[in-house]
Amino acid sequence: MNDIFQISAVAIIAFASPIISERIGAPAVIVEIMAGFVLAYFLADLIRSEWFHFFSSIGLIFLMFLSGLEIDFSLLFKKIRQYWRVPLYVFLSLILSFVFVKVFNMATIYAVFLANVSLGIVMPVMREMNLVSTNFGQKILFATFLTDLITISLLSGIAIGYRVSGSYLELLLPAALVPLFVFAYHLGRYLIWHFPDFMARFFDDPMELGVRGSFAIMILFSGLAFILGSEAILGAFLAGSLVSLTFRGAGKLEESLMGIGYGIFIPFFFIKTGADMYFSISELTLTLPLVLLLAGFAVKLLPSAVFVREIGVRASLAFGTIQSSKLGLTLAGAEIARELGIISSGEAAGIALWTILSAFIFPVMFRKVVRD
């Protein structure tokens, strides 16, 4: 009965967080993180239970799967020549991030955190302001997709480097995920071409065949990544990318997967993140999140100068501002870095606080700059 009570507490938080977030104008995940902080005070046994850790791990995997699913590869392929300044912007942002961590003698993984941007923040803001279909909005989304693709690859590479003991075989095994991904993609396209009626059920089927198949692909690639010595999140991200590439325009399927992920599993991960902040509160200092907040803004704002001649100073400022928003991938990376011993629990708590601040501050600044 105690387990049922604990699960009910998480279910109530997952249900209430979107409602509360609408009232206060903050992302639902921020509410879930803060709820986890409070929950750790009243129900510490819940946070430390094995089943909660299991569901939070599934939530992290699902989060990375949806990150891959959200990447619009058709936009990347179509716009890379037309919007050549965007890859230049992303490259300069990465360089500045690595320079910063080198100068301040920080762990390399901090460069990934600084360079990352949250699609979960950017996309809703673009939709709210009716910018998705505009030239300006397309540039922002292109930069976001490209940055996510690069930073998840860098995060996985750093994690692999910390896991291996120096054997060449250990370094080569994770690379086997690439040909497996290519094979799965071509197999999917073959099935769509030769068995269109069956594959159409992935989009419209009362048995939710597409959801079941996508979930199976996510678990399969996560398991393969783990077996090959990589991070399960890399496998999940590749699985999401595979579904995005194979089933282009799968709007209904994507909506179903988003509903399951953000409605059931992912809240466990964000609630656990908030709980970890509570347990690490004695190690938390305000210096780290404030430094990261300023540095994260600088490494995104300065490279936006490449757009000044094309879109003007104000729009360039807005571009760099919204690209400074952090959320899911930053928190996922911090959790992985903490588990690998790259950063301490106090640093992970500081990164979580920085993420919360950036998710509040920079979207508000962006709206202010664009509307004025």
Side-chain angles (χ1 to χ4, degrees):
M1 185 60 70
N2 186 46
D3 287 345
I4 296 297
F5 171 74
Q6 292 174 346
I7 293 173
S8 299
V10 176
I12 291 170
I13 292 172
F15 170 75
S17 56
I19 301 172
I20 297 172
S21 68
E22 288 180 2
R23 295 292 182 90
I24 65 176
V29 297
I30 302 300
V31 178
E32 290 162 0
I33 292 171
M34 301 312 298
F37 188 92
V38 175
L39 202 62
Y41 177 79
F42 292 102
L43 294 173
D45 291 340
L46 160 65
I47 305 301
R48 294 190 174 101
S49 63
E50 290 185 7
W51 69 264
F52 186 83
H53 279 269
F54 170 77
F55 277 107
S56 66
S57 297
I58 295 295
L60 174 58
I61 289 172
F62 222 121
L63 177 65
M64 300 316 301
F65 172 78
L66 294 181
S67 296
L69 183 67
E70 287 180 317
I71 292 180
D72 188 344
F73 288 94
S74 62
L75 178 64
L76 292 178
F77 296 148
K78 290 177 182 177
K79 304 295 185 180
I80 194 164
R81 289 185 179 179
Q82 181 182 352
Y83 295 156
W84 61 269
R85 285 184 176 86
V86 172
L88 176 60
Y89 169 84
V90 173
F91 174 75
L92 291 174
S93 178
L94 280 168
I95 293 297
L96 283 176
S97 299
F98 279 98
V99 168
F100 175 85
V101 300
K102 183 69 174 178
V103 170
F104 287 90
N105 197 29
M106 302 173 74
T108 305
I109 202 165
Y110 275 102
V112 178
F113 299 152
L114 291 171
N116 180 239
V117 57
S118 171
L119 180 62
I121 295 291
V122 173
M123 183 62 84
V125 173
M126 292 295 103
R127 286 173 176 164
E128 174 195 333
M129 304 189 70
N130 298 316
L131 294 174
V132 173
S133 59
T134 66
N135 192 47
F136 180 55
Q138 288 286 291
K139 284 186 174 70
I140 290 175
L141 291 177
F142 182 27
T144 305
F145 293 142
L146 186 59
T147 301
D148 272 3
L149 191 60
I150 293 172
T151 50
I152 183 60
S153 302
L154 289 173
L155 176 62
S156 301
I158 292 171
I160 292 169
Y162 271 86
R163 282 192 183 278
V164 300
S165 60
S167 167
Y168 286 110
L169 181 60
E170 285 183 297
L171 288 170
L172 289 174
L173 276 176
L177 283 170
V178 176
L180 287 172
F181 175 85
V182 174
F183 171 77
Y185 168 72
H186 285 290
L187 176 63
R189 302 307 297 177
Y190 174 84
L191 292 174
I192 289 174
W193 182 260
H194 289 86
F195 304 96
D197 293 336
F198 173 75
M199 297 304 291
R201 294 179 61 191
F202 272 70
F203 301 92
D204 188 15
D205 183 82
M207 300 300 291
E208 294 290 354
L209 186 64
V211 174
R212 299 181 188 209
S214 299
F215 193 83
I217 293 170
M218 179 187 75
I219 298 300
L220 175 62
F221 268 84
S222 298
L224 285 172
F226 181 79
I227 291 170
L228 294 172
S230 182
E231 288 294 323
I233 64 159
L234 174 60
F237 181 82
L238 288 174
S241 301
L242 177 64
V243 174
S244 177
L245 275 168
T246 307
F247 303 109
R248 293 168 186 161
K252 186 177 179 181
L253 174 60
E254 185 175 345
E255 288 177 5
S256 298
L257 292 169
M258 289 286 181
I260 293 171
Y262 284 102
I264 301 175
F265 295 107
I266 295 176
F268 281 91
F269 169 68
F270 288 124
I271 291 170
K272 181 180 179 297
T273 300
D276 289 339
M277 281 183 64
Y278 172 80
F279 293 130
S280 305
I281 195 70
S282 60
E283 304 174 46
L284 177 63
T285 65
L286 291 178
T287 304
L288 178 63
L290 290 177
V291 168
L292 291 175
L293 190 69
L294 294 173
F297 185 46
V299 301
K300 293 296 184 179
L301 186 63
L302 294 176
S304 66
V306 301
F307 298 111
V308 170
R309 293 185 63 182
E310 182 183 8
I311 61 178
V313 175
R314 181 179 290 275
S316 299
L317 176 61
F319 193 105
T321 300
I322 195 62
Q323 290 289 306
S324 304
S325 306
K326 316 292 178 186
L327 200 60
L329 183 55
T330 307
L331 293 172
E335 175 68 12
I336 292 168
R338 185 186 64 80
E339 290 179 354
L340 292 173
I342 302 174
I343 62 175
S344 66
S345 296
E347 288 178 285
I351 291 169
L353 180 56
W354 163 46
T355 301
I356 293 171
L357 291 173
S358 72
F360 270 114
I361 295 171
F362 296 119
V364 172
M365 288 177 59
F366 174 80
R367 293 186 186 98
K368 181 70 175 174
V369 172
V370 171
R371 286 172 179 167
D372 289 350

